[in-house]
Amino acid sequence: MGRPGDYDVNRRDLMVAATATAALAAVPSAAGAAPAGTDKPVLAKVGFTVNGERRELELDTRTSLLDAVREHLHLTGSKKGCDHGQCGACTMIVDGRRINSCLTLGVMHQDATVLTIEGLGKPGDLHPMQAAFVKHDGYQCGFCTPGQICSGVAVIAEIKSGIPSYVSADLNGAYEVTDAEIRERMSGNICRCGAYSNIVEAITEVAGKQA
């Protein structure tokens, strides 16, 4: 004979077993599951102006702006570094503002104006910031340089527009291109080679010429 309470224990065990069986039955079997990789991507058309040229693309809606420019338009100056928005190598200027292009989807920029390093200047006709980077040796391996240059151009525009930074003392004041402002505003662009002091010199020179 069972001991007092055994019935209750056995009943609980049966209930647990029945619940587990029902849960397993609800899970699709391997035979009935949809094969992996058969889902078709969702495509969408998007048009934007890249470096002064109107471009029309049909993209997987998951495609980043960086991949759209690099893989579809074959403008490989903007680099894929961390792909997490932490290194700044993918920096582009979109509608006048610098962004990490790896963190935004291409389809989000319908009718936008996109400027990459290729649109700033070319050999024999360098943008002043490109020329300053060469003069001040603002690069070593060069991988981060396109993003650094695009960001440097945007930094000067931000300061001139009166956009404050973390180190700006007066949020409503006029800002000067100081070492502190440049270093703070460029802090999102990482240079593994450590050419930071030369980069600051290059940006300072360009800002002085534009003043």
Side-chain angles (χ1 to χ4, degrees):
M1 294 180 61
R3 294 173 298 176
D6 281 354
Y7 175 76
D8 291 335
V9 172
N10 291 337
R11 184 171 61 179
R12 286 197 297 270
D13 290 344
L14 289 172
M15 292 175 64
V16 170
T19 302
T21 301
L24 287 174
V27 177
S29 64
T38 58
D39 292 339
K40 292 184 178 180
V42 177
L43 301 179
K45 293 183 178 179
V46 60
F48 34 58
T49 301
V50 181
N51 300 331
E53 182 180 354
R54 180 72 180 181
R55 307 301 296 265
E56 303 285 344
L57 296 173
E58 188 173 35
L59 300 173
D60 183 326
T61 54
R62 299 166 294 183
T63 303
S64 69
L65 179 61
L66 175 63
D67 284 340
V69 170
R70 283 181 55 85
E71 306 300 330
H72 294 263
L73 300 182
H74 309 294
L75 297 172
T76 56
S78 303
K79 296 299 187 285
K80 179 178 284 194
C82 65
D83 212 24
H84 286 77
Q86 298 176 344
C87 72
C90 68
T91 301
M92 298 178 189
I93 302 174
V94 179
D95 291 334
R97 297 178 57 196
R98 56 182 171 142
I99 66 171
N100 291 324
S101 60
C102 73
L103 292 183
T104 185
L105 299 174
V107 294
M108 294 171 62
H109 297 283
Q110 176 68 31
D111 296 326
T113 298
V114 180
L115 182 64
T116 71
I117 189 68
E118 291 91 345
L120 282 176
K122 302 182 183 301
D125 185 24
L126 296 179
H127 184 279
M129 189 66 74
Q130 293 172 314
F133 265 67
V134 173
K135 175 182 176 181
H136 292 278
D137 197 20
Y139 58 90
Q140 289 185 37
C141 77
F143 188 84
C144 74
T145 306
Q148 297 275 4
I149 290 175
C150 286
S151 200
V153 170
V155 159
I156 295 176
E158 290 169 8
I159 295 175
K160 287 186 174 182
S161 298
I163 299 174
S165 76
Y166 184 77
V167 300
S168 300
D170 182 0
L171 297 182
N172 298 310
Y175 309 114
E176 296 181 358
V177 184
T178 63
D179 281 7
E181 286 285 359
I182 294 173
R183 290 180 183 278
E184 168 60 26
R185 294 170 190 264
M186 291 292 294
S187 61
N189 289 80
I190 306 302
C191 174
R192 293 179 182 271
C193 300
Y196 295 113
S197 60
N198 298 352
I199 291 171
V200 172
E201 290 176 2
I203 296 173
T204 301
E205 177 178 300
V206 176
K209 290 181 178 179
Q210 294 182 2

